């Protein structure tokens, strides 16, 4: 797996399918998303990749809030590689990143990664004030030449498998009652 610590230069010539997120913990929901992305990319003859942010947006936008990572960036990269991704972009998250309009950010990704397809969850959003929700991203994609696909959230027990839920359970020292979110120190693939 190739790893970039910003958008690649020169840009990709081959098309890519991409997902975007923090992927902290790389839990069952993340793994399902990544496996779906890879299968779709392989079927289309595209590269399969992921863009993750570092540091976590909460650490930048709300520094007064203590943020507990579930996995380190190096652990996440190892998991991404084990899952079979072709590339990962570790994008520096700054206040300027947070202020970037969604369409502008997506245009940068389209140009640098030869973006053909974005695969995300149904409540995904990015860009300034999270203005780039799935509906807006589909509109941008129709205009700019990429498609947007969504996968359904993974349900485990009484709710969705989400990093925030896992982090909350760990913070409360909740006995998970056998709940396996799909990671053990980040390495369950």
């Amino acid at each position: 797996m190739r790893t970039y610590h910003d958008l690649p230069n020169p840009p990709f010539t081959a098309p890519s399918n991409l997902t975007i997120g923090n992927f902290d913990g790389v839990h069952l929901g993340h793994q399902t998303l990544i496996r779906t992305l890879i299968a779709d990319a392989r079927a289309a003859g595209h590269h399969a990749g992921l863009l993750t942010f570092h540091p976590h947006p909460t650490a930048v936008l709300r520094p007064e809030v203590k943020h507990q990572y579930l996995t380190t960036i190096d652990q996440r990269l190892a998991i991404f590689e084990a899952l079979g991704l072709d590339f990962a972009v570790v994008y520096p998250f700054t206040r300027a990143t947070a202020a970037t309009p969604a369409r502008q950010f997506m245009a940068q990704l389209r140009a640098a990664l030869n973006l053909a397809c974005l695969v995300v969850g149904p409540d995904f959003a990015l860009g300034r004030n999270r203005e780039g929700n799935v509906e807006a991203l589909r509109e941008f994609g129709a205009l700019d030449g990429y498609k947007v696909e969504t996968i359904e959230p993974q349900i485990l027990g009484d709710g969705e498998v989400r990093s925030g839920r896992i982090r909350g359970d760990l913070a409360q020292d909740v006995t998970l009652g056998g709940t396996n979110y799909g990671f053990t120190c980040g390495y369950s693939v």
Side-chain angles (χ1 to χ4, degrees), residues 94-111:
T94 64
R95 289 195 173 273
T97 306
T100 304
R103 179 131 190 230
Q104 179 183 335
F105 188 74
M106 291 306 300
Q108 293 170 352
L109 298 183
R110 172 76 173 107

Side-chain angles (χ1 to χ4, degrees), residues 1-66:
M1 179 182 79
R2 294 171 297 181
T3 302
Y4 302 91
H5 291 275
D6 205 335
L7 295 179
N9 190 11
F12 291 177
T13 55
S16 67
N17 288 18
L18 182 73
T19 190
I20 302 171
N22 293 307
F23 300 101
D24 191 14
V26 196
H27 53 63
L28 289 173
H30 295 145
Q31 292 174 35
T32 300
L33 177 67
I34 292 167
R35 286 186 173 113
T36 299
L37 167 84
I38 291 169
D40 290 352
R42 297 289 180 263
H46 298 168
H47 292 294
L50 173 149
L51 184 141
T52 189
F53 298 103
H54 190 73
H56 193 285
T58 301
V60 173
L61 299 175
R62 297 174 52 204
E64 72 282 0
V65 175
K66 182 182 177 193

Side-chain angles (χ1 to χ4, degrees), residues 73-92:
I73 193 67
D74 289 337
Q75 288 171 323
R76 280 181 263 158
L77 290 170
I79 297 165
F80 300 154
E81 184 169 25
L83 287 167
L85 286 170
D86 298 311
F87 70 91
V89 176
V90 180
Y91 196 87

